[in-house]
Structure formats: structure tokens, C-alpha cells
Amino acid sequence: MSNGKKNRFKELCLEAKACKACPQLSEKEAVLSFLNGSLTPKVFFIAEAPGRLGADRTRIPFFGDKSGENFQLLLDSVGLKREEIFITNAVLCSPQIPKGKNRRPKATELKNCSYFLKRQIELIEPSIIATLGSVALQALKLISHHDFVLNVHVGKVLQWNGKFLVPLYHPSPQVIISHRSLKQQIEDFQVLKMLLQKAK
């Protein structure tokens, strides 16, 4: 990988760190650094936003909370290592309600942060993108329009903006209990394994 790519990514990280576009997130710091993963990833994952107990605390997406543990199980199920992937979020700062619990990002926050998501995709140029949850899938629509819906297109290999796109559910405990079990999510992840084998 070229030093130019590393330097451009470093500049983007600094730009994200300095961003104060969202009033309710202005005290937060964007989770974007070399801790997000490889700049030449096998899979480029997009989730919703950093969790208060996970990435907002550890600075590593999907690390330090139960969602992170579940995500690691899913990666293990298809033989993917952390150093082989890149993980980012539709919104780079951690949205929380006043009492400190995680909240869903607002439409304006998604729109503001779509600039950074677009830049990351352009810089890293992944061939496979996997969205984790409906918010991440929606965020891609702000970059290049699509009509995909999570509960219809989950685990399917789609084409988006010249790339393979695989919509997946978010591995949070709430989603696993109410929408998509861990067993089902493990089955969904097998599509990534199939895609990667084809790419060899």
C-alpha cells in the first residue's frame, strides 16, 4: 500500500476529528483512525454509530461491548480476521440520550456524515461492502441511490455503485433478541465467505 494512501487517510481522520457539524455531537470525537482496520480490506463493513461502551470508549469499532463480542463471533464463523477488514460507521460520533444510553442517529447527522463515508469509500476502494443494520444501508443511499431494504435483501449479493453490496443485520443484543438471531446472522455471513472464495 502506498504512503500516499496512508497520508490521505490520516488527513481524513484529522478532518473528521475537527468536525463540529452536528450540534448534539459537537462534544464527541469521531471514531476514525488506523484502528478501524486495513486500508486494503477484504470486506468494508459499515455499522450505525459508535456505541458508548464500545467504540466511543475503546476507539475501535465493534470492540469492548456485547455487540463487539457478537461481531467477533460472526467474523470467526467465516474465517475473517480483524486485520483483513475495515469497519466504519454511518455516523462517526456516538449519539446518546442525556442519560447516556445509545440513540439512533438523526437524519441530519446521517446527512452531515455521509461526506466522510463517501470519502472513506473513495479512498479505500473496497470491492465488497457489507452494511450492518438498516441505518448503514440507508446511509449508502445518500451517496448513490438504491432501493434495497434490509428485511428483503438481507444476505443477498447486490450491485451498488460498481461494488458488491451485502446487507446484513446489526449484531447488537437487541437485534438478536427481536429481529435476527445469532444463528441466522451466522448463516447470513456465509454469503461473504462465498464471495471471498470467488474473488480468489
Side-chain angles (χ1 to χ4, degrees):
M1 181 181 48
S2 71
N3 281 333
K5 189 174 189 178
K6 281 184 182 175
N7 289 336
R8 289 196 307 276
F9 180 70
K10 192 175 180 180
E11 285 167 14
L12 184 61
C13 294
L14 291 171
E15 198 178 331
K17 191 176 181 179
C19 178
K20 302 291 179 193
C22 303
Q24 290 186 4
L25 303 180
S26 60
E27 300 302 311
K28 290 286 176 186
E29 188 179 312
V31 175
L32 187 64
S33 72
F34 287 97
L35 296 174
N36 287 58
S38 170
L39 297 186
T40 55
K42 289 183 176 179
V43 182
F44 182 99
F45 287 96
I46 308 167
E48 183 174 307
R52 68 186 176 95
L53 299 176
D56 192 40
R57 182 174 62 86
T58 65
R59 315 312 296 167
I60 305 168
F62 277 122
F63 187 79
D65 60 6
K66 190 62 186 171
S67 294
E69 286 176 30
N70 292 336
F71 183 66
Q72 189 61 54
L73 283 172
L74 293 168
L75 288 180
D76 292 345
S77 75
V78 292
L80 272 174
K81 294 181 171 62
R82 285 263 178 169
E83 55 267 28
E84 297 176 319
I85 64 169
F86 186 89
I87 321 167
T88 190
N89 284 288
V91 169
L92 292 175
C93 296
S94 177
Q96 297 171 19
I97 59 172
K99 287 183 180 176
K101 288 188 176 178
N102 297 330
R103 68 162 170 81
R104 191 182 178 97
K106 296 177 177 180
T108 51
E109 292 165 348
L110 275 177
K111 193 174 179 185
N112 288 341
C113 226
S114 68
Y115 162 80
F116 288 107
L117 183 58
K118 184 173 186 280
R119 291 275 306 278
Q120 288 171 82
I121 293 169
E122 286 171 351
L123 177 65
I124 292 171
E125 298 180 303
S127 56
I128 302 171
I129 294 176
T131 51
L132 299 162
S134 58
V135 171
L137 190 58
Q138 183 188 340
L140 286 184
K141 195 184 284 192
L142 297 172
I143 296 169
S144 182
H145 185 78
H146 66 74
D147 293 309
F148 306 132
V149 182
L150 182 56
N151 62 2
V152 176
H153 295 100
V154 61
K156 290 186 166 62
V157 179
L158 310 168
Q159 286 287 333
W160 174 83
N161 215 18
K163 304 177 188 309
F164 290 117
L165 169 63
V166 181
L168 299 163
Y169 275 82
H170 194 285
S172 73
Q174 296 88 340
V175 171
I176 284 168
I177 290 165
S178 60
H179 294 292
R180 198 83 169 172
S181 71
L182 194 57
K183 184 173 180 286
Q184 286 174 304
Q185 292 202 30
I186 286 171
E187 287 169 9
D188 297 336
F189 257 68
Q190 299 311 304
V191 175
L192 291 178
K193 189 175 185 177
M194 180 198 74
L195 255 184
L196 289 167
Q197 284 170 345
K198 279 186 178 178
K200 279 181 181 177

